[in-house]
Amino acid sequence: MRIPLSAPDITETDIQAVAGVLRTPHLSLGPKVREFERAISNYIGTADAIAVHSGTSALHLCIRSLGISAGDEVIMPSFAFIAVANAVRYESAIPVFVDIDPQTLNLDPDKVEAVITLRTKAILIVHTFGCPAEMSALLEIARRHRLYVIEDACEAIGAEYDGRKVGALGDVGVFAFYPNKQITTGEGGAVVTNNSEIAAKIRKLRNQGRDETAEWIQHSELGYNYRISDINCALGIEQLNRIDTILDRREAIAREYNQRLCQHPNLKLPPLTLSRRKISWFVYVVRLGDRFTQYHRDWIVNEMKARGIGTGRYFAPIHLQPIYRSCAVPKSALPIAEFCASRSLALPFFNRIRQEQIEEVCRVSIELIQVAEKRCDNRK
Ligand SMILES: Cc1ncc(COP(=O)(O)O)c(C=O)c1O
C-alpha cells in the first residue's frame, strides 16, 4: 500500500537497543525482560507486570490464573478482536456476548446484569480502539455480583479513566505490542496486576509451570512457553520511553482527520474527548451513516485499496465469525454491535503519516462516499 493502514515507528535508538542485546548472552529471561516489566508496572501504576509473547497469551494466562474453567461464563463484547473470546474457550469456558454503547463502542453497562447467572465468573472489559469503557458502572456491577474484572487494554495503553491508567482498575489487565499498536515489541504482551498471588501464578504458567525458585526441570503446574525474549523487550523499553510523545502525535492526527471530515453529513466521527476519560488513539475509525450498508462500506474498502490506501473493517462481531456461530449463541440480540461493525471503516493511522497523506485519504474517502451516496439514491 502506498499509504498503509498502520506502520511501526522505529528509531535509530530502538535499533541500537535491540542490537545491544544481541551482543550479550542474555537473549531470554534476562535483564531486559525484568526492566521492561518494571517500566510497564511503573507506567500503568500496578504492583507487578509480567511480559509475555502476545496479547492473546496474556489474556489466556489471566483466565487460567483466575481459575475460570469448563462451563464458567465470562461476559464480554462481541465487537472486539477474536482473541478475547478465544482465550476463554481455551479453558472450555463460555463467552457471553453483550451489546455495546454506540458512542464509545464499549460494553454497555445497562445490558450486563441481565445476562449474569450462577456460572458467571468474570466481566472481560475491552477498551475498544483506545477509548476507556464505562469503568465505574462496570466495576460496581462486578463488586455487587462478586465477579472478577479482566481489563483488555491491548488497544489502550496510556488511556485513563478518572485519572487512572486503564489496565490498573480491575483484578488483572492486559496489553499487546504487535506492530500496529501504540508501542511495539514486534510481538509481545503483558499482564498487570496488584495481586501478588496472581502475578506469581502467571509468572509460573508463562514459563512451563516452573517455580521461579525451583530447579529448571521442576514443573509444578501445567504451563506454557509464553515467554518473550530480551530482544523484544529492549525494543519495548525504548518505545515506552517516548510513549507520551507518541500518544500526543496520535491525538494530533485524530484531530486533523476530524477537522477535515467533520463537514460530511454522512460520516460519524470518533469523539475526540469524553468525560472522565483520556483516549489513547489506537486506530481512527469512522462510521458510515445509517443509509449505507455493509455493501457500500466494502465497496469503499476495495476502491481505496485500488488507489493504494489501506483501510480496515474493524471489527467483525465475534458471534458472527464462522467458528463462533454454532458454539456461542448470544443470550440477547446485539443490534448495535452488528450495525456498527457493518459500517465501520478504519483509515490509515500511524505516527509518521504525513500531512499530504492525511489530506489524500480524506479527499478520496469523501469522493467515494459521495459516489456511494448516489448509488443509495438510485436504489430508491
Ligand atoms: C482487544 C485485543 N485483545 C487482544 C489482542 C491480541 O493481541 P495479540 O495480537 O498480541 O495476540 C488484540 C490484538 O490486536 C486486541 O486488539
Side-chain angles (χ1 to χ4, degrees):
M1 287 292 161
R2 238 173 0 90
I3 311 179
L5 174 60
S6 73
D9 180 2
I10 303 296
T11 63
E12 200 47 46
T13 314
D14 295 343
I15 294 169
Q16 292 305 323
V18 169
V21 175
L22 294 173
R23 293 192 187 94
T24 76
H26 306 295
L27 302 190
S28 187
L29 292 174
K32 288 293 173 189
V33 176
R34 279 291 186 184
E35 191 183 333
F36 183 50
E37 290 178 338
R38 274 195 299 271
I40 291 281
S41 60
N42 280 341
Y43 178 70
I44 301 300
T46 51
D48 215 337
I50 305 100
V52 290
H53 72 209
S54 69
T56 307
S57 47
L59 277 171
H60 184 202
L61 292 183
C62 289
I63 300 295
R64 261 295 297 276
S65 65
L66 295 174
I68 295 169
S69 58
D72 289 341
E73 296 177 358
V74 178
I75 293 169
M76 64 179 67
S78 176
F79 187 81
F81 186 59
I82 197 154
V84 174
N86 286 353
V88 168
R89 285 191 61 209
Y90 294 158
E91 294 303 315
S92 304
I94 303 165
V96 174
F97 299 117
V98 166
D99 215 354
I100 52 169
D101 172 309
Q103 192 187 28
T104 65
L105 305 175
N106 287 318
L107 268 185
D108 182 345
D110 291 341
K111 298 192 178 127
V112 168
E113 273 187 303
V115 300
I116 294 176
T117 69
L118 291 174
R119 306 242 40 178
T120 310
K121 286 283 158 34
I123 308 179
L124 203 166
I125 298 166
V126 182
H127 302 295
T128 309
F129 303 154
C131 176
E134 187 50 65
M135 288 308 288
S136 62
L138 291 166
L139 287 169
E140 174 53 25
I141 294 169
R143 193 195 55 76
R144 231 178 308 123
H145 294 270
R146 296 170 178 268
L147 304 176
Y148 290 120
V149 171
I150 304 166
E151 279 183 276
D152 183 334
C154 286
E155 301 174 5
I157 190 163
E160 293 175 14
Y161 186 87
D162 279 349
R164 290 175 65 199
K165 295 258 180 347
V166 299
L169 306 167
D171 295 286
V172 282
V174 300
F175 295 94
F177 307 117
Y178 185 73
N180 67 349
K181 297 293 186 300
Q182 289 90 329
I183 63 165
T184 186
T185 56
E187 291 281 0
V191 181
V192 293
T193 183
N194 287 314
N195 183 318
S196 56
E197 262 177 56
I198 293 176
K201 182 141 188 173
I202 288 178
R203 232 171 249 294
K204 193 195 279 193
L205 289 171
R206 161 186 79 170
N207 189 18
Q208 304 285 19
R210 292 179 175 109
D211 290 311
E212 290 257 296
T213 47
E215 261 194 70
W216 184 246
I217 51 162
Q218 187 168 301
H219 307 264
S220 57
E221 289 253 14
L222 176 66
Y224 310 89
N225 177 357
Y226 283 173
R227 295 187 303 259
I228 182 171
S229 81
D230 285 61
I231 306 165
N232 299 86
C233 288
L235 176 57
I237 292 163
E238 296 306 323
Q239 295 253 315
L240 192 60
N241 270 339
R242 54 196 172 85
I243 191 164
D244 290 341
T245 319
I246 290 174
L247 296 185
D248 286 351
R249 169 72 187 137
R250 294 175 87 88
E251 189 185 339
I253 299 166
R255 279 188 189 284
E256 183 68 31
Y257 266 130
N258 265 37
Q259 209 183 334
R260 291 184 171 274
L261 296 173
C262 68
Q263 300 300 339
H264 203 284
N266 268 321
L267 263 187
K268 183 162 171 42
L269 306 182
L272 290 171
T273 54
L274 280 167
S275 75
R276 306 177 80 169
R277 296 162 171 88
K278 174 178 181 253
I279 299 168
S280 163
W281 289 87
F282 164 47
V283 281
Y284 182 84
V285 179
V286 297
R287 220 156 64 216
L288 303 182
D290 297 3
R291 60 200 307 243
F292 295 99
T293 63
Q294 186 163 342
Y295 166 82
H296 298 108
R297 192 274 313 272
D298 292 347
W299 177 80
I300 292 172
V301 166
N302 289 334
E303 289 296 316
M304 300 275 272
K305 190 173 170 195
R307 290 161 171 77
I309 301 173
T311 57
R313 299 174 171 95
Y314 291 161
F315 274 114
I318 300 173
H319 71 282
L320 298 182
Q321 297 283 348
I323 184 116
Y324 277 87
R325 274 193 196 142
S326 57
C327 69
V329 180
K331 290 185 180 177
S332 56
L334 306 170
I336 299 173
E338 290 179 15
F339 181 86
C340 294
S342 64
R343 289 158 177 84
S344 293
L345 180 69
L347 299 179
F349 192 73
F350 48 95
N351 299 352
R352 297 187 189 199
I353 192 167
R354 298 192 305 274
Q355 181 64 23
E356 69 270 19
Q357 291 178 314
I358 297 176
E359 286 168 18
E360 181 181 341
V361 172
C362 293
R363 183 171 38 76
V364 174
S365 307
I366 289 173
E367 259 170 43
L368 293 173
I369 291 165
Q370 282 166 348
V371 176
E373 270 167 359
K374 286 209 184 89
R375 291 183 170 200
C376 290
D377 293 341
N378 291 343
R379 276 200 328 180
K380 272 188 195 158

